Amino acid sequence: MKKIFTTLVLLISLQIAFGQMWLDKAVPDGRVDSVWNGVDLPQAYTGEGVIIGLTDWGFDYTHPVFYDPEMIHYRVLRAWDQYKMSGPAPDGFDYGTEYVGPEALLTAQCDTANDYDMAYHGTHCASIAGGAGAGTQYRGVAYGADLLFCTFNLNSVQCVIDSWRWMYNVAQQEGKRLVISMSWGVYFLDNMDGTGVLAEEVERLTNLGVVFVSSAGNNGSDNFHISKTFTQQDTLYSRFAFPTASGAYWGASISMTNSANSPFSFQLIAMDANRNILATTPFVSSQQDIYVDSIFVIDGDTIVFNYGVSSTNPYNQAPNVRLRVKRTTACQFAIGVVASEGTFHAWNLAELTKAWGNWGGDFYAIPQWPKSVAGDNLYAVSTPANIDQVITVAAHQAHFLNNAGYSVGGNIADFSSSGPSFHNVTKPTVSAPGKNVVSALSSFTNTYTGTYSKTITFNDRTYRFVSLSGTSMSGPFVAGVCALMLQANPYLSSAQVLNIIAESAYQDNYTQSAGVLRFGHGKVDAHHAVQMALNTVGVDDHVQPAQTQYTLYPNPASNSLFVTMLTEQERALCTVYDLSGRTVCQSVLYPGVNRMEVSHLTPGCYILRLDDSLQIITKKLIVR
């Protein structure tokens, strides 16, 4: 059986590998090995100079994968455990405990027990994004990047926002670009159309240069969603099942919404196995803001349920309802919905006794009920993956030739959540390897009971590597790819990173068969993405190297432009682009003063890109 944590976070859909198990096979599937080897690139890239921050649970600060490949240099900069209240808290915050630097982190050893006990999910994801392998073949994508860990409290929207702000503050202090990897998702924390408090903060930080990457979710095989477009007064019914779970499971949570300014009414219906009605609530209107705890008593059994109604969400003007029903074997349940306009949606999710549940239970049509509908697996991408600015990652099995020469893998993982989004934004954005991926296991976990793929010893402690499946694994893979891109060109805006990830994705028979709703734009291609990053004029000036190493005079220029190069490099390539991205002239610079003719250029604004193999600098040039 799945442990509470694995079902709870279930951007895990743990499938302990009975087939093959790899992170090393995932690397060539995503073309990462070509980036490591510098194939058709100015140099090899490993994510050096970039920070990857992970919001998660179950971090083993001592795991050797978080050192460099030689296991000498420790790469975790800081960790914030929001559950541990002994302090000290990070600057600007008044709760939790922050560990700064190797000594503090290695002394603390791991994050504290919390809603997920002593978990392991965070270590596994962090190792995929930036683990250095600890001498094994299971090396993460951006193994040269620095790392930040936040053991965050998902029961509080503010704690989620604080975790992002803390990471941004640290990245600013370090003077490095930041990628935030999020292998979690909730269907009622923000609005399912990608608006809300969290979306507002993501947009703000994206505009400041932060790149957000999120797992798409693991409800691809669950018919947990229903919808209906109302054009006149009408009714729909649907029976809902209790999601299969154990441990901290409480019951079912039905999240409902309709279009902006389109009210609806709902009722809860209890039935026997023959669909005979045993009890119903009156229809409750979404036009009133209320919360109600209530019960049905059926043949001596007490059935507990509650519902909360928000008449108008301030971010999208839509009504929202959350109906929760405690699990029982005494009867079956359905919802009834009445509306006259709007497109209605509902999702059936697990409800836990603590923290969040994010795996779905099916909806079913009811025989002999003509207005009943069955569920589907659409609109399955939840917060934060449904936010427009977030790079959302589906999962597929890595494709390769086995020892017998047969083609293996490549298809979408059945659990990988399906789009579409509520807007004209492709969700998921891309897919990455996420099925049977071997990565590091926290040596402090008390929740993992599966088998081990590899065991090593470091500093007299035993460390293990295990195979897990889920979009939790594919998300940090793409976060690592983003770090490779930002090392290659630290001036890319967050929007440019997202666009390049989408545009550089590759297609094959599997993507064409499963389609955009499952794969998004295709499978992530790290090599193509880095090539595009190098050939894109970045516009992000939030992290600047020593701009005084290159000076332009005069600027604006009319005839001649003098570029002074003060670096220790032997030469630099200077490329001038117009604002459409077209190259208009190019020259090789040498230390000292270099003269460039610009009299042939049409008066206007241009971008100068200076690449000396150690850094890329962009400057604005005005020609008059």
Side-chain angles (χ1 to χ4, degrees), residues 271-426:
M271 306 175 295
D272 63 19
N274 296 318
R275 314 299 189 260
N276 297 310
I277 295 177
L278 302 175
T280 68
T281 65
F283 274 97
V284 179
S285 172
S286 68
Q287 293 179 285
Q288 51 185 330
D289 295 308
I290 57 171
Y291 176 85
V292 173
D293 281 308
S294 191
I295 61 171
F296 290 142
V297 178
I298 300 173
D299 294 332
D301 289 314
T302 300
I303 313 299
V304 176
F305 65 91
N306 58 63
Y307 54 85
V309 180
S310 174
S311 60
T312 305
N313 186 279
Y315 289 92
N316 60 10
Q317 289 72 55
N320 288 284
V321 172
R322 189 171 171 209
L323 168 66
R324 292 176 282 196
V325 184
K326 188 172 184 180
R327 179 171 56 180
T328 178
T329 58
C331 56
Q332 299 180 358
F333 292 95
I335 57 169
V337 176
V338 174
S340 59
E341 62 179 357
T343 299
F344 171 85
H345 293 272
W347 295 265
N348 176 19
L349 282 305
E351 177 75 8
L352 306 176
T353 57
K354 61 179 182 178
W356 303 104
N358 57 10
W359 67 101
D362 290 337
F363 281 108
Y364 299 95
I366 306 170
Q368 289 81 49
W369 290 34
K371 293 181 182 276
S372 68
V373 298
D376 57 48
N377 68 346
L378 302 177
Y379 296 95
V381 175
S382 66
T383 301
N386 58 15
I387 300 170
D388 290 355
Q389 295 84 0
V390 172
I391 299 170
T392 304
V393 188
H396 64 264
Q397 185 173 18
H399 180 249
F400 64 98
L401 297 178
N402 65 14
N403 293 335
Y406 292 108
S407 178
V408 177
N411 54 308
I412 196 73
D414 57 353
F415 55 75
S416 185
S417 284
S418 175
S421 71
F422 281 73
H423 305 121
N424 294 321
V425 176
T426 299

Side-chain angles (χ1 to χ4, degrees), residues 9 23 88 111 115 150 195 255 284 294 302 332 385 391 423 528:
V9 175
L23 178 53
D111 55 6
D115 289 331
C150 184
T195 64
S255 295
V284 179
S294 191
T302 300
Q332 299 180 358
I391 299 170
H423 305 121
H528 191 191

Side-chain angles (χ1 to χ4, degrees), residues 80 82 93 95 158-167:
W80 182 16
Q82 292 186 347
F93 303 93
Y95 65 97
Q158 189 58 52
C159 287
V160 177
I161 291 173
D162 287 349
S163 70
W164 299 339
R165 290 178 177 175
W166 169 74
M167 289 179 176

Side-chain angles (χ1 to χ4, degrees), residues 93-257:
F93 303 93
D94 60 2
Y95 65 97
T97 299
E98 182 186 37
Y99 303 103
V100 181
E103 182 178 356
L105 285 155
L106 296 175
T107 300
Q109 296 189 310
C110 64
D111 55 6
T112 190
N114 50 63
D115 289 331
Y116 309 106
D117 298 319
M118 294 298 293
Y120 53 87
H121 188 259
T123 299
H124 199 273
C125 294
S127 184
I128 293 171
T136 73
Q137 68 269 46
Y138 307 122
R139 180 174 288 184
V141 175
Y143 63 87
D146 291 322
L147 300 167
L148 291 174
F149 299 154
C150 184
T151 304
F152 74 132
N153 183 357
L154 194 50
N155 293 293
S156 164
V157 170
Q158 189 58 52
C159 287
V160 177
I161 291 173
D162 287 349
S163 70
W164 299 339
R165 290 178 177 175
W166 169 74
M167 289 179 176
Y168 173 74
N169 292 343
V170 175
Q172 288 297 104
Q173 293 170 26
E174 296 288 331
K176 296 179 179 180
R177 292 299 300 273
L178 171 65
V179 180
I180 295 181
S181 180
M182 305 173 290
S183 288
W184 52 273
V186 180
Y187 288 83
F188 38 79
L189 195 63
D190 237 0
N191 298 316
M192 283 296 290
D193 64 357
T195 64
V197 178
L198 294 181
E200 190 173 59
E201 184 65 14
V202 165
E203 182 177 12
R204 186 185 75 86
L205 290 174
T206 296
N207 290 335
L208 293 175
V210 179
V211 176
F212 285 90
V213 182
S214 177
S215 300
N218 294 338
N219 284 309
S221 57
D222 298 315
N223 293 319
F224 74 128
H225 165 261
I226 56 174
S227 64
K228 178 179 174 63
T229 298
F230 291 89
T231 58
Q232 59 184 10
Q233 185 82 3
D234 202 356
T235 306
L236 77 78
Y237 296 98
S238 192
R239 180 172 69 88
F240 61 90
F242 289 102
T244 302
S246 62
Y249 182 67
W250 185 84
S253 171
I254 311 298
S255 295
M256 296 176 268
T257 190

Side-chain angles (χ1 to χ4, degrees), residues 16-32:
I16 305 302
F18 293 107
Q20 271 105 348
M21 308 174 290
W22 306 275
L23 178 53
D24 53 323
K25 294 297 189 297
V27 164
D29 181 277
R31 316 294 197 256
V32 173

